[in-house]
């Protein structure tokens, strides 16, 4: 059973465009929602994260939008760059330090 | 500290053989996690340790899998009698207890022929 559902599976965006990746969850006990970025041959690295008490968090070109009632959250990458080409995973956890449930990933390609 | 280190980076083995992977976490981190990642999927939780105590194991961790963290520092993940379905990337991550930020290693890729 997939605890966190992610879409789309792949995404192609022109340089300068906006990349949007969506995730949905069912377990209302989740209280931490990170996004991880993974380059080929590397482990996932934390990109940005949000807690359900806020609806949006922005760090540079990356923004998480969170809709608690819909149990959905999304990653927006503004002014997408070729260097953003990677696989992005959303995740969720309940309580600090507990296991993370990851989405299936989105392969982002930013075309120059 | 150079982050989470995993060895070997790639292991090719024949079905039925035993393999062992090692993870050296960030030295100040007392929690260590093992995840498995197959092609096109996100990481799946296997188990985690706080210091030397193994606190949780996933049902994915069959009897052929065993993980240890004997002195609360490095950890090993052993897979006995490997099967082709074990082929995956095995990721190790570490964190402070009570913190939500996981730092992942680059992973150990297992190919079972």
């Amino acid at each position: 059973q997939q605890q966190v559902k992610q879409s789309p599976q792949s995404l192609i965006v022109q340089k300068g465009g906006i990349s949007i990746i969506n995730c949905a969850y069912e377990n209302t006990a989740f209280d931490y929602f990170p996004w991880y970025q993974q380059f080929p041959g590397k482990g996932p690295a934390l990109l940005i994260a949000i807690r359900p008490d806020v609806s949006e968090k922005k760090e540079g070109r990356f923004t998480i939008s969170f809709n608690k009632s819909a149990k959905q959250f999304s990653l927006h990458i503004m002014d997408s760059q070729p260097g953003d080409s990677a696989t992005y995973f959303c995740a969720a956890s309940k309580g600090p330090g507990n296991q993370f449930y990851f989405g299936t990933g989105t392969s982002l390609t930013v075309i120059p | 500290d150079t982050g989470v280190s995993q060895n070997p980076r790639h292991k090719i083995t024949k079905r039925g053989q035993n393999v062992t992977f090692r993870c050296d976490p960030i030295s100040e981190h007392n929690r260590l996690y093992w995840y498995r990642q197959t092609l096109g999927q996100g990481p799946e939780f296997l188990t985690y340790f706080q210091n030397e105590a193994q606190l949780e194991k996933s049902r994915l961790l069959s009897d052929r899998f065993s993980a240890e963290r004997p002195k609360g520092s490095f950890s090993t993940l052993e897979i006995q009698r490997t099967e082709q379905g074990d082929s995956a990337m095995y990721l190790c991550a570490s964190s402070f207890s009570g913190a939500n930020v996981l730092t992942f290693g680059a992973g150990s890729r297992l190919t079972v022929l």
Side-chain angles (χ1 to χ4, degrees):
Chain A
Q1 181 184 359
Q2 193 71 33
Q3 297 262 4
V4 179
K5 296 181 180 180
Q6 183 172 347
S7 63
Q9 185 175 359
S10 63
L11 183 60
I12 299 174
V13 173
Q14 294 277 358
K15 178 182 175 182
I18 303 173
S19 304
I20 302 174
I21 305 170
N22 301 299
C23 282
Y25 65 97
E26 287 297 325
N27 192 336
T28 55
F30 289 145
D31 62 0
Y32 181 73
F33 302 89
W35 284 90
Y36 278 79
Q37 179 189 55
Q38 186 175 28
F39 293 104
K42 304 287 187 181
L46 178 66
L47 187 62
I48 186 173
I50 198 168
R51 296 193 181 277
D53 52 346
V54 297
S55 60
E56 185 175 283
K57 183 173 182 180
K58 184 176 181 179
E59 291 184 0
R61 297 184 294 110
F62 301 92
T63 299
I64 300 179
S65 297
F66 188 85
N67 186 329
K68 189 174 181 178
S69 60
K71 293 186 284 187
Q72 296 176 345
F73 58 109
S74 59
L75 175 69
H76 296 235
I77 306 175
M78 312 299 288
D79 187 27
S80 298
Q81 299 296 312
D84 297 330
S85 297
T87 300
Y88 293 81
F89 295 96
C90 61
S93 71
K94 39 187 174 180
N98 289 323
Q99 65 163 297
F100 282 44
Y101 297 89
F102 285 84
T104 51
T106 297
S107 176
L108 172 65
T109 303
V110 181
I111 300 172
Chain B
D1 195 339
T2 56
V4 179
S5 177
Q6 293 189 245
N7 288 288
R9 292 294 311 278
H10 195 182
K11 178 73 175 179
I12 302 173
T13 191
K14 293 183 179 179
R15 188 170 51 132
Q17 298 295 304
N18 299 343
V19 296
T20 299
F21 299 114
R22 175 177 169 129
C23 173
D24 288 90
I26 293 173
S27 55
E28 309 88 72
H29 287 177
N30 58 353
R31 284 204 173 182
L32 186 148
Y33 303 78
W34 286 99
Y35 281 79
R36 181 178 72 183
Q37 186 177 21
T38 53
L39 197 63
Q41 298 296 316
E44 296 174 293
F45 171 77
L46 292 178
T47 187
Y48 86 91
F49 294 83
Q50 178 157 316
N51 300 313
E52 66 274 11
Q54 189 172 18
L55 297 187
E56 189 174 350
K57 292 194 293 186
S58 163
R59 57 182 169 78
L60 295 176
L61 212 66
S62 75
D63 292 345
R64 297 184 296 105
F65 288 69
S66 63
E68 294 182 345
R69 194 183 183 198
K71 296 183 179 179
S73 56
F74 73 91
S75 175
T76 58
L77 176 68
E78 181 183 17
I79 308 173
Q80 297 182 327
R81 304 181 304 281
T82 53
E83 301 173 356
Q84 287 186 327
D86 297 331
S87 295
M89 176 76 83
Y90 290 86
L91 293 165
C92 176
S94 67
S95 75
F96 292 107
S97 61
N100 276 315
V101 180
L102 294 185
T103 302
F104 281 90
S108 293
R109 180 169 296 283
L110 173 64
T111 302
V112 182
L113 301 177

